[in-house]
Amino acid sequence: MQGTIDGFSYGMVTPLVAYLMACLGGALGLRCTTRAGLAPRSWRPGWLALGAASIGAGIWTMHFIAMMGFTVEGTPIRYDRAMTFASLAVAVVMVGIGIFIVGYKGATGTALFTGGTVTGLGMASMHYLGMAGMSLDGQLEYNTLTVAASVAVAMAAASAALWAAGQSKGFLWSVGASLVMGLAVTGMHYLGMAAVDVHVHGTAAPDTGESAAALLGPMMVGPLAVLVLAGIVVIFDPLVVMGRPAAPTADPRPGIPAHPPAHHPLPRARLSARGPVEHRSRTPQRR
């Protein structure tokens, strides 16, 4: 029996909150990625890791907030805890790989294409792994073309976001990029949900897994804590907000002055060492 799918059982509340969470994670992650390019090399891995955790936590939270509004008529939906945790880990790890590639190689050319592809595949993998963790009295089927379109949207969104992060044009630039990224990631989610058909058996309720409210509510504490931590770091680091490079430091090598020597007049002792200056009269002498 074909199951009736409703992805908006709470109206526009879940899509709107999901979009805001995707924007928040994207904004914090992009600012941390930008800051990594301005930081000393020893600090760069920490900034990139925080950026990857922020984006991964943001898109994972977006996905499961949106899933709270997903219902199928005729069967309750349960979620497997292990698969749900695995989807979060996949999101953070694959987004991290893409961010590290762009963070060290630059947001241009092959590095941008590779980093955007890996990051986009991480977003899509998180979505479909989370879908695989659902348990219901029925069978899920996917439209191949729609799934491919959702993956392409995720890859394009990731590439555009990483390119924007590499521009270092200030806080408002990253905010605009995060709004576009949040729209694309949320669109990827609902495009992927549009690819789903459910054939309900109608025999019994699923005997494994937990309900969305019982499982996802407590599990969101960790990702939300990551977003709060990243937000605190961004707020208290003015270089992140301004997006300006740090002032160049003095070269510590011996024999090289930190500043160019100012022009000083010659001392009087050196002038007197040259001897008296001869003054010639302009009046011609008589012979």
Side-chain angles (χ1 to χ4, degrees), residues 135-268:
S135 177
L136 49 81
D137 182 30
Q139 182 179 359
L140 298 180
E141 293 183 358
Y142 291 91
N143 182 284
T144 305
L145 292 178
T146 309
V147 169
S150 68
V151 174
V153 168
M155 293 168 57
S159 300
L162 293 178
W163 173 82
Q167 302 308 302
S168 301
K169 291 187 177 180
F171 183 71
L172 293 180
W173 176 269
S174 291
V175 169
S178 67
L179 294 177
V180 175
M181 181 181 180
L183 181 62
V185 171
T186 309
M188 178 272 296
H189 170 85
Y190 283 102
L191 187 60
M193 298 306 297
V196 177
D197 284 325
V198 180
H199 295 275
V200 179
H201 298 156
T203 56
D207 55 358
T208 59
E210 303 176 49
S211 66
L215 175 64
L216 301 180
M219 285 188 65
M220 285 183 184
V221 174
L224 290 176
V226 171
L227 295 176
V228 170
L229 174 62
I232 293 174
V233 172
V234 168
I235 291 173
F236 287 97
D237 187 346
L239 195 59
V240 174
V241 178
M242 300 302 295
R244 297 174 180 174
T249 56
D251 194 335
R253 290 179 294 174
I256 300 179
H259 303 282
H263 178 72
H264 296 286
L266 293 175
R268 293 183 178 181

Side-chain angles (χ1 to χ4, degrees), residues 85-114:
F85 269 119
S87 66
L88 174 60
V90 166
V92 174
V93 170
M94 293 193 69
V95 169
I97 293 174
I99 284 181
F100 269 77
I101 291 174
V102 172
Y104 279 95
K105 299 296 184 179
T108 56
T110 304
L112 179 61
F113 175 78
T114 305

Side-chain angles (χ1 to χ4, degrees), residues 12-70:
M12 293 303 296
V13 174
T14 49
L16 181 59
V17 177
Y19 170 70
L20 293 177
M21 293 307 301
C23 292
L24 176 62
L28 295 175
L30 293 179
R31 291 314 298 164
C32 291
T33 304
T34 299
R35 182 62 173 85
L38 306 175
R41 195 172 185 84
S42 59
W43 286 80
R44 190 175 300 176
W47 282 109
L48 294 176
L50 184 59
S54 300
I55 295 178
I59 62 176
W60 185 89
T61 306
M62 175 277 304
H63 171 82
F64 283 103
I65 287 178
M67 289 304 296
M68 287 183 177
F70 179 77

